[in-house]
Amino acid sequence: MRRATSPLTLSLALVLPALVPAHAGDVTEFTLDNGMDVVVIEDHRSPAVEQMVWYKVGSADEAPGVSGVAHLLEHLMFKGTDTHAPGEFSAIVEAHGGEENAFTTTDYTAYYQRVAADLLPKMMDLEADRMTHLRLTPDQVAPEVSVVLEERNQRVETNPDALFREQAQAAQYLNHPYGHPTIGWRHEVAALGADQALDFYRAHYVPNNAILVVAGDVTPDEVRKLAETYYGPIPANPDLAPRIRPSEPPQTAARHLVFEDPRVAQPYVTRSYLAPERNSGDQKPAAALELLAGLLGGEPATSYLGRRLQFDDPKAIYTGAYYSGTSLDPTTFSLVIVPAPGVSLADAEAALDGAVADFLAEGVDSEQLARLKRQYAAESIYELDDVGRRAQRYGRALATSLTVADVEAWPDILQSVSEDDIMAAARAVLVPQTSVTGWLRAPEGAAPVAATPVAGFPNAGGSEVLQ
């Protein structure tokens, strides 16, 4: 289905990138003498600031046998230091009407505070303190291990969808630690203690493994002076190990798994393929996959799978495609289909296979590609009004070996992707040999469970985020 692009489509695609408001501010980057990278995003429309410290370490950097230690340490970073009592950091932020939190993924761990701009020196003081003086004792760690185990109970053990995704992710990666859950395998989390947490902290929580992102009502000169005052005295770790992980061997066999749980109310089929990540200076393959996901599995009324399987031949009540390229190592491209009543999982999988095969044969709908590019251009402009989103975008990128220049180039690279680029990416990635197909269903004869509305699959194709 190839359609000519209208003059209106072309004009909108050209005009939207030119509408970037100047008041959104500039981005400045520099590096402290101890190796800490700093990014400053100026936005003077509100007297507020967001500080984020990103450590270039996540669950995929854990040693064998201690899965979950990255996420556990995130919890423990709020337990206090030699000079600040447990909970004092959070109490100061809350007392001033601010907001704070932290999150862990496979590739990075980040801590942030949103506060009035005049509190930035205090936030830097507190964050620098816990970068070097975290105090952990067995009596502090044991209760937090119990908290994480209960979190796993709530997030995973009581949720058949989460258990299913955990098994599918483990099947996708034959050797790479992306196959391990970010929260950790339950039996390994239960065995964690203060020694493992402190070893991980000392090895990775150092300035030359960290990125400071400050966004809001600040200037680069102001941030530089403050960063040199509070973070600058922290010595670099000269023995910081290179970020080398086990690599995937060639995947030569399609895998298929069936996960049954009597709590399943809505059965569905997923398919994930090993896919390349965004790479610095060579982002076009990832941009093509980003657009491919939108074309295949975006809005039901406009996406290929939605129109084909939800409207033209209604085999499904939901379809989707997902790609998250901001990762350090190869990621996944994922598809999902939730069958309509009366359609078996086998028939749903066959319908999905048929639709993907037809897409590969027919090619890209030019009109839909132009629409999708306009949408991305608009989103890149709207994002300028959300300083927190901008800070996260730069932090994620730098924590996965991209650069500020890569982030700035991304919107234009998306616009430059051609139909041929997308089809080349589709043919390279949508191959059975690197795929894992999963069925989630209740056992035959299980008592019916009330179904809930399908709200999408936000974690499909991306790294898990734990707070």
Side-chain angles (χ1 to χ4, degrees), residues 29-39 207-208 210 224 228:
E29 59 177 324
F30 55 88
T31 302
L32 302 182
D33 290 343
N34 59 11
M36 188 177 195
D37 294 321
V38 184
V39 176
N208 51 323
R224 183 188 290 272
E228 288 175 343

Side-chain angles (χ1 to χ4, degrees), residues 155-387:
R155 288 175 175 264
V156 182
E157 309 295 353
T158 61
N159 185 344
D161 296 86
L163 288 168
F164 168 60
R165 289 195 299 268
E166 190 175 80
Q167 294 295 312
Q169 189 78 357
Q172 179 68 77
Y173 290 95
L174 304 177
N175 192 49
H176 193 281
Y178 282 169
H180 304 161
T182 298
I183 200 168
W185 298 113
R186 183 179 183 85
H187 66 287
E188 292 187 347
V189 174
L192 294 175
D195 288 344
Q196 292 95 333
L198 283 170
D199 287 346
F200 197 79
Y201 170 75
R202 291 167 182 150
H204 302 290
Y205 279 50
V206 293
N208 51 323
N209 199 41
I211 304 153
L212 171 66
V213 180
V214 180
D217 191 17
V218 293
T219 65
D221 288 343
E222 174 189 2
V223 172
R224 183 188 290 272
K225 290 176 183 177
L226 290 173
E228 288 175 343
T229 297
Y230 293 105
Y231 295 107
I234 303 173
N237 177 7
D239 299 319
L240 181 66
R243 215 169 178 192
I244 299 174
R245 297 162 168 176
S247 60
E248 276 294 292
Q251 295 193 0
T252 58
R255 282 136 286 163
H256 198 294
L257 63 90
V258 177
F259 189 91
E260 294 186 333
D261 191 300
R263 298 168 294 181
V264 173
Q266 177 63 68
Y268 59 86
V269 179
T270 63
R271 167 85 52 72
S272 63
Y273 302 86
L274 205 62
E277 74 282 7
R278 277 173 68 183
N279 288 306
S280 182
D282 184 25
Q283 299 185 90
K284 202 163 190 178
L289 289 171
E290 182 82 14
L291 290 167
L292 175 64
L295 290 169
L296 281 177
E299 292 296 324
T302 55
S303 66
Y304 190 88
L305 295 179
R307 287 180 295 165
R308 169 75 175 266
L309 300 177
Q310 294 179 246
F311 292 97
D312 296 346
D313 182 17
K315 291 282 197 304
I317 60 172
Y318 179 86
T319 56
Y322 306 90
Y323 171 71
S324 179
T326 310
S327 65
L328 190 63
D329 297 318
T331 181
T332 55
F333 188 98
S334 301
L335 307 172
V336 63
I337 177 170
V338 180
V343 177
S344 69
L345 292 180
D347 288 342
E349 182 182 342
L352 181 65
D353 288 339
V356 170
D358 288 346
F359 175 84
L360 292 174
E362 295 170 10
V364 173
D365 182 326
S366 301
E367 185 175 308
Q368 294 301 333
L369 177 57
R371 176 196 60 79
L372 194 60
K373 285 185 175 182
R374 292 196 303 272
Q375 178 181 323
Y376 276 112
E379 287 177 355
S380 70
I381 296 170
Y382 300 148
E383 188 182 74
L384 296 175
D385 281 331
D386 190 331
V387 71

Side-chain angles (χ1 to χ4, degrees), residues 8-75:
L8 176 60
T9 295
L10 285 173
S11 64
L12 283 172
L14 292 171
V15 170
L16 277 171
L19 297 179
V20 178
H23 62 266
D26 297 322
V27 178
T28 304
E29 59 177 324
F30 55 88
T31 302
L32 302 182
D33 290 343
N34 59 11
M36 188 177 195
D37 294 321
V38 184
V39 176
V40 183
I41 304 169
E42 290 186 77
D43 190 326
H44 301 288
R45 291 171 293 176
S46 172
V49 68
E50 178 158 335
Q51 174 186 239
M52 304 192 78
V53 173
W54 299 71
Y55 292 99
K56 292 182 279 188
V57 64
S59 61
D61 300 294
E62 297 163 340
V66 292
S67 66
V69 70
H71 175 237
L72 174 64
L73 180 57
E74 176 213 311
H75 282 235

